[in-house]
Amino acid sequence: MRDQYGRPLTDLRVSLTDRCNLRCVYCMPEDGIAFRPPADLLQDDEAVLLIELAAELGISKVRLTGGEPTVRAGIVSLVARIARIPGLVDIAMTTNGVLLETLAEPLARAGLTRVNVSLDTLDPEQFRRITRGGHVDRVLAGIARAEAAGLRPIKLNAVVVRGFNEDDVVALAALTLEHPWEVRFIEVMPFGDVADVADAGIVTSEETMARIEAALGPLDPVDLSGTSPARTYRLRGALGDLGFISPVTQPFCASCGRLRLTADGRLRLCLLRDAEVDLLTPLRQGASRDEMKAIFAAAAYRRPFGHALAERLYPKARVMIQIGG
Ligand code: SAM
Ligand code: SF4
């Protein structure tokens, strides 16, 4: 499956819920958001069917996300069903890690390949501030359990926001001196009602790299090919890598082969644009598998190229918790 610009489409990110057990400042507004009634969201059979169709169309990598995917009821059995879908070689999850201490082993047994854990700071107080109440110790315990369960490679994602964690990047980067993890720093993006957090808080990857080099020494390039969104480097003597993801200052649209399925069954054509195609309605109206595949592929073909953050045209309709990362 390719889009109109010839980009091969191999990755599907599936949001399994629009709910979360944290409330990160860049992801959702303080006074919350209106959650969709559960009946409006993809049920297990519907999610499995749409992923099956995607795999038949050539998707080989699935990433489960949210909201927080681990809060979905029956997540372990859903992962087991997804893991049995022919054609999928990689089933990853992006999670805040809060529930991994208990879920890592059952998820690994169910067929999950690996996890990306979001961790913006190691400082308990800063963590509480960014997540509006979370406990970093639980995340660290969850990461340890994920590694022990064989969910590898472990990748940690930190969104860098000025006034919250721009100095904490050094301690996060230093984790790679002792652990074979990839710690990735992401430029904060503006979405909907929380666009002001990104507007006021953007820290470029360049600045983050300079801060890390000043404290920990030079960064040697590992992979700057642009085939993945992260440009990776390594500190001298480190066991793991550092990744820099720069959607704002160095967009990677040319190599983007990602599709996103929202928890309410919409195919989102670009993370940073509001355009979406409803798959759930035709599915519930009884469209056949072939009809659904045709709708899916036609929507995917229409994927746009490039975002317009530089012109301050921000996605408005949803914030990240409602899209998935
Ligand atoms: N709850 C899970 C988690 O936090 O990993 C999965 C969903 S979360 C929406 C997916 C990723 O999006 C996380 O790594 C999060 O830090 C990132 N994210 C959320 N809002 C963002 C924003 N405004 N800019 C950049 N990344 C963002
Ligand atoms: Fe929840 Fe993840 Fe959004 Fe934080 S980034 S509020 S953990 S969905």
Side-chain angles (χ1 to χ4, degrees):
M1 189 166 41
R2 286 181 185 264
D3 68 16
Q4 58 180 325
Y5 299 101
R7 292 173 294 186
L9 303 175
T10 52
D11 286 29
L12 180 66
R13 302 191 171 212
V14 184
S15 172
L16 294 179
T17 174
D18 61 355
R19 287 158 204 253
C20 189
N21 45 5
L22 297 179
R23 309 169 73 81
C24 303
V25 291
Y26 45 71
C27 185
M28 63 189 297
E30 180 155 29
D31 45 8
I33 51 172
F35 294 118
R36 308 283 307 233
D40 289 2
L41 302 182
L42 287 172
Q43 308 299 300
D44 283 9
D45 287 348
E46 293 165 337
V48 170
L49 178 72
L50 289 176
I51 299 170
E52 274 173 12
L53 300 180
E56 287 171 22
L57 286 165
I59 293 291
S60 57
K61 292 154 103 185
V62 168
R63 173 170 297 282
L64 305 174
T65 176
E68 174 48 40
T70 57
V71 305
R72 181 173 174 123
I75 182 65
V76 174
S77 53
L78 179 57
V79 166
R81 289 180 67 184
I82 295 169
R84 284 197 291 271
I85 296 175
L88 299 183
V89 297
D90 188 24
I91 299 156
M93 180 180 280
T94 302
T95 170
N96 61 30
V98 168
L99 296 176
L100 274 185
E101 208 179 348
T102 45
L103 281 175
E105 274 159 34
L107 285 171
R109 269 201 304 277
L112 191 72
T113 330
R114 58 200 179 88
V115 283
N116 286 13
V117 181
S118 300
L119 178 63
D120 298 333
T121 174
L122 296 174
D123 180 297
E125 197 44 51
Q126 297 289 30
F127 188 84
R128 248 195 301 280
R129 240 182 108 218
I130 295 177
T131 60
R132 299 194 185 98
H135 296 281
V136 73
D137 288 354
R138 292 193 65 186
V139 180
L140 295 172
I143 294 168
R145 197 58 71 89
E147 192 170 36
L151 294 170
R152 298 190 199 145
I154 299 275
K155 296 189 184 182
L156 305 184
N157 290 339
V159 176
V160 188
V161 189
R162 197 176 307 284
F164 285 91
N165 64 339
E166 75 268 36
D167 292 323
D168 303 17
V169 298
V170 172
L172 287 167
L175 289 172
T176 63
L177 296 171
E178 292 180 3
H179 301 277
W181 301 340
E182 183 174 320
V183 177
R184 311 182 326 158
F185 300 98
I186 304 172
E187 290 176 346
V188 62
M189 295 171 275
F191 290 94
D193 287 349
V194 289
D196 57 325
V197 175
D199 260 348
I202 172 84
V203 179
T204 64
S205 294
E206 203 185 339
E207 180 180 332
T208 296
M209 286 174 75
R211 190 166 277 120
I212 292 169
E213 285 198 300
L216 299 173
L219 291 170
D220 295 325
V222 175
D223 182 359
L224 309 183
S225 64
T227 47
S228 104
R231 289 168 293 128
T232 53
Y233 296 80
R234 190 170 273 230
L235 290 164
R236 302 270 159 90
L239 302 178
D241 291 339
L242 298 176
F244 296 88
I245 302 180
S246 323
V248 180
T249 60
Q250 294 191 45
F252 35 83
C253 310
S255 61
C256 175
R258 250 160 247 118
L259 286 165
R260 293 182 164 79
L261 184 60
T262 62
D264 54 353
R266 268 82 177 155
L267 202 61
R268 187 166 174 106
L269 306 185
C270 168
L271 174 61
L272 291 166
R273 290 170 181 263
D274 285 325
E276 294 175 355
V277 173
D278 179 9
L279 299 182
L280 186 57
T281 302
L283 186 65
R284 288 190 177 171
Q285 284 171 346
S288 69
R289 285 177 82 95
D290 283 345
E291 284 164 345
M292 285 308 303
K293 265 161 69 172
I295 295 169
F296 195 118
Y301 183 79
R302 286 179 34 217
R303 276 182 4 125
F305 193 102
H307 60 64
L309 295 184
E311 291 94 74
R312 303 179 68 80
L313 293 176
Y314 299 162
K316 290 199 176 58
R318 294 183 191 252
V319 286
M320 268 294 243
I321 193 172
Q322 300 161 311
I323 303 169

